[in-house]
Structure formats: structure tokens, C-alpha cells
Amino acid sequence: MKIIYCLLSLLAATLASLVSISVVRAESIAVLKPVVTVASEIVTLGDLFHDAGLYSETAVFRAPDLGKSGTVDTHTVTMAAARAGLSDVDVAGIQEVEVRREARMITSQDISVILQLEIARRLNIANWEDISMRFSDAIWSVPADALSAEPVSIVSLNLSSPLTSQNGLSRFEVLLSIDQGNRQQKHRLRGTALPMSEVTVLTRPIARGEVIRRGDLETQRVPRSRAQRMEPAFPDNLIGFEARRAMRPGVPISANDVRPPTLVARNDRVVIELRTGRLAISADGRAMEAGAEGDTISVINSHSKRVIDAKVIGRGRVELKLRKPTNLANLREVAQ
């Protein structure tokens, strides 16, 4: 029995070993791929086959040009693999393999950004997006190496001084280099660069004295030199103010175009408030001139007909501030 048990154990171990060898052998077969996408200029066996094992990094073909694709028949692929030492392959019924070469397409937007950054640096402009670019010729997309750390770079840039007569316009000529892996492709471009700023404009006509609301305003970009001459204001500094003059839509607004809203109009009936310390009294009056909050205007006391100077503190309200404390009797005398 002991001998039989040992024989059975040996047989089981042998069968397990054979199965293991068979599985390993099955797993070691390299299976051909119908479509291959590569980033580098060389196609390896690892690109062409699943489970190429130790042969994965072996180079066999040159890849197509950047952004292009091509086909190679299965026989050529298997012969190249065999010459490299990989002969145990499964073509899986594939007749030919399509090989695609990845590329990063350099667009006009990419070129604009790299130029905006450099021109903003040279002109000492904080925000590169404030540079408006125009090219003399159309820019076509150019393929670059997908693995490149710097796919496009500036070789040289000639930038003219900003032209005062043209709102600060500068002309440029730039030589660019596109990294295409095995070579650097050069491109020369010409154009203009113009620093811009955002200004606030009206969306509708505004009459003189009309109060400006949030919906009446929007922002537009204009040449920076023009904006600096206008001293433009932000929308939050205009909302709630009234126009000093009639204004058209689309015209930039400056802080000088508006004023605080009129709270007291000429000939309006007003309440004159007198305060000193804890004492206060009021009287009726009539405004002799218009005023906004904080303005000092002339007011006539309706009872005494005396003309006094008072500060506008609200709609239909003015305040007369006494320079020294007084009692209630004196306060009433002043009010009268």
C-alpha cells in the first residue's frame, strides 16, 4: 500500500507539472494586434503583439509620420518577429496590421498663447490674456511629437516699440520651432500685438439725470491706451448713480460721467433737521437748489423766511449742524 500511495503521489505531481508547463506555454504565445497606436518614431514587438515578453522592447519598424497611419501585412510582421527571436506567435486570422502614429497638433491658439506670454513679459503687462494678437497669414495646424516636453518654442522674436499713433500697436516677426521628434520644423510668422483693457459701456441710451441700473451695463475690450485716457470705472462704481449727460449705448463710461443721485431737487419741500448733542428739532423748508447726498445746499425756512445752508442727508431731508451745544429754547429760535 505504501508503494502504491507513493506511485499515485508521483503521478499526480507529474500531471500537475505537465499542466503547469502547458499553461505557461499557452500564456507565452504572443498574439498579434489588428490596430497599433504608437507615440514614438519606432514600432516595437510589444506594440505589435500582446504578451511579447522579453522581446517587448525590440524595435522592428519605423513608425509612420506624425499624425499619419499605414498598414503592414501579417507575413512581414511575423518574419520581423522571427528574426528578432520571437517565433511563437498567434496571428489570430489577421491579414494586415494598421499602425497609427500619435501627434499633438499645434494650433493657432497654441501659437497665440506662447506669443502672448512672451510679448506680455517684454511689455511688462501682468495679464498675458490682455494682448490681442493678429497674424498676417493664416496658421495651419502643425503636428508635433506627442512625447515632447516643449512641442513649440520661440527661436527669435523681433517686437517693435508700441506705436502711440495706433493705440499702442506693436508689430512682430517670430521664428518658431516645432519639435517633431527626429527633427525641428521651423515656422516664421508676422503680425501685430495690441494691449487691451476691459471698459464699462451702456447697453441702452441713458438720459441726463437718469439713474443707472445693473442691467444697463456691460463690459467691452478696447485698446489699453484709450482706456487709460478715459479713466474707466467698474460697474459697481456706477450702479445707483445718475448720468451727468445723455449717453449712447456702446460708449465707454468714466467715473466723471456720473454723479450721486439727486435726493433734493430745486424748489422741493424739505424737512430741516437741527441737532446738537441729545437735542433735536425739525422745521419745514424749501430747497433753493438741487443736491445729492452729502451736498451742502441753500434752503429757505418756510416759517422765518431765513436762508440757511444745510447738508442733504436723505430724500427730502437736510440737516443743519450747530457748531456749539445749545438748549432747547435756542434750538427753536434757530429753527424759526
Side-chain angles (χ1 to χ4, degrees), residues 242 259-264 290-297 311-313:
E242 65 181 27
R259 63 188 176 196
T262 300
L263 298 180
V264 175
E293 185 173 6
D295 288 347
T296 298
I297 62 173
K311 184 174 73 172
V312 177
I313 60 173

Side-chain angles (χ1 to χ4, degrees), residues 34-71:
V35 178
V36 174
T37 301
V38 297
S40 69
E41 53 191 305
I42 299 298
V43 181
T44 67
L45 290 177
D47 295 323
L48 294 166
F49 292 92
H50 295 290
D51 301 321
L54 297 176
Y55 302 96
S56 294
E57 301 300 321
T58 304
V60 286
F61 300 125
R62 285 193 62 84
D65 291 338
L66 288 168
K68 304 293 184 180
S69 64
T71 58

Side-chain angles (χ1 to χ4, degrees), residues 274-296:
L274 297 87
R275 299 177 183 276
T276 177
R278 296 182 179 180
L279 301 176
I281 195 170
S282 62
D284 293 332
R286 180 169 54 86
M288 301 183 68
E289 54 188 333
E293 185 173 6
D295 288 347
T296 298

Side-chain angles (χ1 to χ4, degrees), residues 110-252:
D110 296 321
I111 293 173
S112 293
V113 168
I114 193 173
L115 280 173
Q116 284 172 301
L117 287 166
E118 178 60 20
I119 292 173
R121 185 188 67 81
R122 293 196 184 187
L123 297 181
N124 198 28
I125 294 174
N127 187 0
W128 60 269
E129 292 179 311
D130 287 341
I131 303 294
S132 175
M133 306 290 302
R134 284 194 177 182
F135 296 97
S136 300
D137 303 304
I139 302 177
W140 304 101
S141 295
V142 182
D145 187 353
L147 299 177
S148 176
E150 191 177 21
V152 57
S153 59
I154 296 175
V155 178
S156 63
L157 172 64
N158 295 322
L159 182 69
S160 71
S161 299
L163 300 174
T164 305
S165 60
Q166 298 188 40
N167 289 319
L169 185 76
S170 295
R171 303 186 185 278
F172 67 82
E173 180 177 333
V174 63
L175 180 63
L176 298 171
S177 179
I178 310 297
D179 184 1
Q180 296 189 320
N182 59 338
R183 69 189 185 99
Q184 297 289 320
Q185 183 175 343
K186 300 295 193 296
H187 283 270
R188 191 177 298 277
L189 297 171
R190 296 177 179 85
T192 59
L194 181 62
M196 306 289 284
S197 289
E198 281 195 348
V199 296
T200 305
V201 301
L202 292 170
T203 60
R204 65 178 182 88
I206 294 289
R208 178 183 177 184
E210 188 172 356
V211 175
I212 297 174
R213 311 298 180 190
R214 185 172 296 277
D216 298 331
L217 304 172
E218 65 181 9
T219 57
Q220 287 184 0
R221 288 167 63 83
V222 301
R224 172 165 293 194
S225 60
R226 180 184 171 195
Q228 289 172 339
R229 292 195 300 268
M230 293 184 303
E231 298 182 4
F234 294 106
D236 288 346
N237 296 330
L238 300 170
I239 296 168
F241 287 73
E242 65 181 27
R244 291 181 180 271
R245 57 182 176 83
M247 292 181 286
R248 304 190 311 273
V251 176

